[in-house]
Amino acid sequence: MLSTYRFRLIAYTILLVAFLTATLGYTYIYSRNVILEEAENSVTNTALLLNGNIEMEESELLHYAEIVRDDLRIKEYVFMVVKVGTDNEALKSLYQRHYGWLPVKRRIILGNNGRILLGNEHQDLARSLVNHLEVSNKPIFYIQSGKGLEMITWAPISYQGTRLGTVALTHTIDNTWLKKHQQYSGGYLFIENDSVILQSNLPGAESQKFALNDGLLEINGESYQIRPIVLTGADNKIAHLWYGVSMRDLFAKLERHSRIVLLLTLSGAFAILWMGLIIVRNFNRPLTELIYIT
């Protein structure tokens, strides 16, 4: 009888420990999946936020181009250069006085025949603009320049119902831009072309191979979750922009969580065993004394 009761108490204690361990184990697996899922959602949402930010920059740059286009003085000076044949020094001076403050990388004004009226130093930009106007009427497009991806917006200049030319303004997505956006995104940005990383705010990533495997990128032995950032008007011939976060940071969170779960499991198991031994001992003692008296 005594050994039977003792065995039952020990068995109940072991069952409680097993139940606690299983519960905490399930909690760990569930929380691990939640952390990974939330991390994936966070990467996707941050990439969407970056998309929205770039769209705002595109709209702002296009607005600047439209401001220059709608300026009557710019129209008159362009008309004088195109139709009358005056030099373009007055046009350059006018633009510098009134629009030199614009936060743009480069600016150019082209005549309808491709002649550069403003921005003679930007021959490559002029060629890119002419090539784009021949095949598309989209006011926003991208080119790949020596410093990064160059966002270009343009607007036609007309005077008295006659189109005289085109004004174009640019903004560059370069290393400065990448570092700026890292501050609030908390991740890494990559400019890639032909499966090679051209620029990145991740140290040591430039010139590395860019090969995705189920949305993961391996660089210097570390994995990164990667999401694309859509660029309006960009085609597949130029570089692409990507956003990613380190899987090591995610696993660090999981490791901290696993340590907490392990500590809770061991503490709970020890507490249950200790209470079980006390119960067995307290239950055992009076029966032993009763048998001795009998």
Side-chain angles (χ1 to χ4, degrees):
M1 177 76 66
L2 184 61
S3 61
T4 302
Y5 285 130
R6 183 188 304 169
F7 174 77
R8 289 179 180 177
L9 287 173
I10 293 175
Y12 293 153
T13 302
I14 294 174
L15 286 176
L16 284 175
V17 172
F19 175 75
L20 175 64
T21 303
T23 302
L24 292 177
Y26 173 78
T27 302
Y28 168 73
I29 295 174
Y30 177 78
S31 60
R32 178 181 183 276
N33 293 334
V34 168
I35 291 175
L36 291 176
E37 184 177 353
E38 287 299 321
E40 292 181 358
N41 292 336
S42 177
V43 174
T44 302
N45 292 334
T46 304
L48 291 176
L49 288 175
L50 288 172
N51 279 336
N53 186 64
I54 291 178
E55 289 177 357
M56 290 177 59
E57 292 181 2
E58 292 172 346
S59 299
E60 184 180 32
L61 189 63
L62 180 59
H63 178 63
Y64 291 151
E66 292 172 347
I67 289 177
V68 176
R69 174 199 65 186
D70 295 334
D71 191 316
L72 182 59
R73 293 164 299 183
I74 294 290
K75 293 181 179 181
E76 290 175 345
Y77 276 64
V78 171
F79 177 82
M80 293 293 292
V81 174
V82 173
K83 297 298 183 180
V84 180
T86 61
D87 61 54
N88 59 355
E89 291 300 323
L91 176 61
K92 293 179 182 179
S93 177
L94 174 67
Y95 180 92
Q96 189 61 33
R97 287 199 311 269
H98 294 280
Y99 300 106
W101 58 270
L102 289 177
V104 300
K105 189 68 175 180
R106 299 196 287 177
R107 79 285 181 275
I108 192 171
I109 295 179
L110 288 182
N112 290 333
N113 58 356
R115 175 190 172 192
I116 300 178
L117 309 180
L118 175 68
N120 291 318
E121 66 275 21
H122 306 308
Q123 298 288 336
D124 60 324
L125 177 59
R127 289 192 297 269
S128 298
L129 181 59
V130 170
N131 293 335
H132 175 78
L133 293 176
E134 289 177 352
V135 298
S136 176
N137 59 357
K138 292 182 179 180
I140 302 171
F141 67 102
Y142 286 81
I143 63 173
Q144 185 176 341
S145 64
K147 295 185 178 180
L149 287 173
E150 195 162 12
M151 177 194 305
I152 304 174
T153 62
W154 61 273
I157 297 178
S158 299
Y159 183 69
Q160 296 180 351
T162 303
R163 179 166 176 171
L164 302 175
T166 304
V167 57
L169 305 177
T170 77
H171 174 64
T172 304
I173 300 178
D174 53 9
N175 285 327
T176 302
W177 188 93
L178 298 180
K179 293 177 181 178
K180 174 184 175 182
H181 285 73
Q182 183 184 12
Q183 295 177 358
Y184 72 86
S185 66
Y188 300 100
L189 290 156
F190 305 88
I191 297 177
E192 166 268 333
N193 189 26
D194 292 334
S195 300
V196 176
I197 299 175
L198 303 180
Q199 290 177 315
S200 176
N201 54 1
L202 175 64
E206 293 184 3
S207 301
Q208 296 283 343
K209 185 178 180 181
F210 190 92
L212 294 181
N213 184 13
D214 291 334
L216 294 178
L217 175 65
E218 293 285 339
I219 299 179
N220 297 329
E222 293 189 21
S223 299
Y224 299 85
Q225 280 196 13
I226 300 295
R227 297 292 185 275
I229 298 177
V230 179
L231 301 176
T232 303
D235 55 35
N236 294 327
K237 296 180 181 179
I238 68 169
H240 306 88
L241 186 62
W242 304 82
Y243 170 76
V245 296
S246 173
M247 294 296 293
R248 182 177 61 180
D249 297 338
L250 301 180
F251 290 142
K253 294 180 181 179
L254 289 175
E255 185 177 352
R256 290 193 298 269
H257 181 73
S258 64
R259 286 198 296 265
I260 295 174
V261 171
L262 179 61
L263 179 62
L264 291 174
T265 302
L266 294 177
S267 301
F270 176 78
I272 292 176
L273 285 174
W274 183 67
M275 291 297 296
L277 291 175
I278 291 177
I279 292 174
V280 170
R281 181 181 176 184
N282 292 337
F283 180 80
N284 214 21
R285 181 180 299 170
L287 290 179
T288 301
E289 293 177 355
L290 179 60
I291 293 174
Y292 175 76
I293 295 173
T294 302

